[in-house]
Amino acid sequence: MDTIHEPARNIPVLDDVDVCVIGGSCTGVFAAVRAARLGARVCLVERNNCFGGAATAGFVCYWHSLFDTTGERQVIAGLTQEMVDRLGRIGAIDFVPGQRFDRVFNSEEMKIELDGMVRENRIRPFLHTVLASSVAEGRHVRAAIVENKSGRGAIRAGCFIDASGDGDLAWSL
């Protein structure tokens, strides 16, 4: 295989936080929000132009039931319930016709609500940004190397959460 050598270079540190979440799906946003509400300085890296993953960018506008299979006991709550409530207040979620507990929602309104959660919790967003590599010391990730239209940069963090859906951070090690 033919190769090209890329010379070593210094990479600017874009942020130094307590928690860096890779992947801005609803799960990634919820992980970032929870960390921020616990007092952590948080950033959130998302390759798309919006948060929400398949729910927003992929128009998967269906939210499964928050109840057990009998519909008698709620088994999912927390930030998922908070998002359902936020969407409900603006009329952007409704029950699936013929279903007791499953819901459909307006994905564009969900984008706005997810942006609101990020902003309200002072999470630094990095949209249109991909994880390119990582820097580890032993078994501990010390920095994520990311790229966007501004170029290549590093995000240092005490803790990393891989919410990419593909294990991107683990793969980069």
Side-chain angles (χ1 to χ4, degrees):
M1 173 192 283
D2 193 19
T3 62
I4 295 174
H5 174 74
E6 181 181 12
R9 58 184 160 165
N10 292 324
I11 299 172
V13 175
L14 303 175
D15 210 345
D16 200 336
V17 295
D18 299 314
V19 178
C20 175
V21 179
I22 306 295
S25 64
C26 289
T27 302
V29 171
F30 294 168
V33 166
R34 183 60 64 208
R37 288 183 181 173
L38 289 170
R41 291 174 296 117
V42 182
C43 73
L44 180 56
V45 177
E46 169 55 39
R47 69 178 164 192
N48 288 316
N49 67 342
C50 63
F51 297 117
T56 55
F59 301 111
V60 179
C61 306
Y62 187 92
W63 209 307
H64 53 78
S65 174
L66 305 182
F67 290 80
D68 65 11
T69 57
T70 66
E72 295 176 10
R73 187 170 64 99
Q74 186 169 351
V75 294
I76 300 171
L79 289 164
T80 301
Q81 181 67 61
E82 185 176 324
M83 179 55 67
V84 167
D85 293 344
R86 287 175 78 120
L87 292 170
R89 282 192 292 276
I90 60 172
I93 193 167
D94 202 355
F95 289 100
V96 176
Q99 299 288 323
R100 287 181 49 199
F101 300 104
D102 296 350
R103 300 170 189 236
V104 291
F105 59 87
N106 180 320
S107 61
E108 295 303 309
E109 294 291 351
M110 181 179 273
K111 288 177 187 177
I112 294 168
E113 293 303 317
L114 289 167
D115 284 350
M117 289 179 107
V118 168
R119 191 174 46 259
E120 291 158 16
N121 289 282
R122 295 179 181 89
I123 297 163
R124 181 165 181 199
F126 288 92
L127 294 170
H128 294 285
T129 303
V130 297
L131 175 71
S133 184
S134 60
V135 176
E137 293 175 8
R139 296 177 54 196
H140 300 282
V141 178
R142 298 297 181 211
I145 307 301
V146 298
E147 292 182 345
N148 56 32
K149 286 190 172 198
S150 297
R152 197 169 175 98
I155 299 171
R156 279 194 298 237
C159 176
F160 289 86
I161 297 172
D162 188 335
S164 67
D166 294 323
D168 289 347
L169 185 61
W171 181 87
S172 73
L173 295 173

